Amino acid sequence: MTDTESCAPPSRLRVTDEFGYWFSGFFDGEGTLLAMRENGRQLTQKIQILLRDDDGSVNRWIQESLGCGKIYPHAVSRKARVKTKPGSMFRIRDVRDLTEIVVPLFDKYPLHSKKAREYPIWKKLLLLRYKEMIGRSPHNTPYSQEYCTEFDSAIMQLRAIRKYREHAGVEASQCNTSSRN
């Protein structure tokens, strides 16, 4: 048993089986598990679902059912290669919500697409960060050397599965010492 498995986080998941199975299948097709650098320094994990505006009620239902996450308007990019409609983005990026709601959800209602191969990598990294943050402010918890090394490894593994183009690996020496710029 690894350190991240020995201190199992509490579960705040409160969904019906019907929703859980539906969400898992829906996320397989429409969702994204992300581990990336933001603002040049911040190491971030999140899940997100981008839907056209005319399906925005689905994102609102997901947010209400899970009891977490935020919905953002998603404008059409001028650089898009295909014609797209405005949309809405449902996103969960809070480490506690991801660990205590999303992880129990995907553990109980497994993914089946290639996200099923991504999930254990993403989860291991998330649980490590969660363990580091217990009892601390998420904005003032520095990244440990172990987390930076695991982050780099996870990015490389996810890249191999997803063929990441934009999210380059992070070398441990490049990690900043705090999560704020």
Side-chain angles (χ1 to χ4, degrees):
M1 188 180 299
T2 66
D3 287 342
T4 54
E5 291 170 339
S6 64
C7 64
S11 174
R12 293 186 290 124
L13 179 65
R14 306 285 183 262
V15 299
T16 64
D17 283 344
E18 180 182 14
F19 176 84
Y21 288 116
W22 173 85
F23 182 78
S24 176
F26 186 75
F27 191 86
D28 258 335
E30 299 294 333
T32 307
L33 295 164
L34 292 165
M36 58 191 288
R37 286 185 82 163
E38 288 186 335
N39 303 323
R41 300 174 93 176
Q42 186 174 354
L43 310 181
T44 302
Q45 285 185 260
K46 57 188 166 188
I47 67 165
Q48 62 187 32
I49 300 170
L50 174 61
L51 298 175
R52 288 176 18 157
D53 265 351
D54 54 358
D55 286 330
S57 63
V58 174
N59 274 342
R60 288 188 295 280
W61 180 56
I62 292 168
Q63 180 186 37
E64 181 179 298
S65 297
L66 293 177
C68 65
K70 294 186 179 176
I71 298 172
Y72 303 92
H74 189 267
V76 177
S77 170
R78 292 182 205 198
K79 296 178 182 179
R81 293 187 177 142
V82 294
K83 194 170 188 172
T84 59
K85 305 267 185 206
S88 71
M89 174 88 63
F90 171 73
R91 181 180 296 155
I92 303 173
R93 65 183 301 150
D94 179 80
V95 172
R96 186 170 170 243
D97 289 341
L98 290 168
T99 306
E100 298 176 5
I101 296 172
V102 175
V103 166
L105 186 136
F106 289 143
D107 284 352
K108 185 172 181 178
Y109 309 101
L111 298 163
H112 296 282
S113 68
K114 72 177 166 189
K115 288 179 187 78
R117 293 188 322 241
E118 297 173 2
Y119 175 67
I121 299 163
W122 182 89
K123 176 184 171 182
K124 179 182 175 187
L125 187 62
L126 180 68
L127 292 177
L128 179 59
R129 184 66 179 150
Y130 180 83
K131 182 179 131 188
E132 290 181 350
M133 293 175 60
I134 292 173
R136 298 180 180 176
S137 166
H139 300 292
N140 296 322
T141 304
Y143 300 118
S144 70
Q145 185 68 35
E146 179 185 8
Y147 180 75
C148 291
T149 301
E150 286 295 326
F151 193 92
D152 186 42
S153 175
I155 291 295
M156 299 305 283
Q157 292 172 59
L158 292 169
R159 183 183 293 145
I161 295 169
R162 298 190 70 206
K163 308 293 186 227
Y164 275 104
R165 295 173 301 194
E166 299 176 277
H167 308 300
V170 178
E171 297 200 17
S173 62
Q174 294 176 320
C175 291
N176 71 359
T177 58
S178 71
S179 57
R180 282 208 162 164
N181 292 340

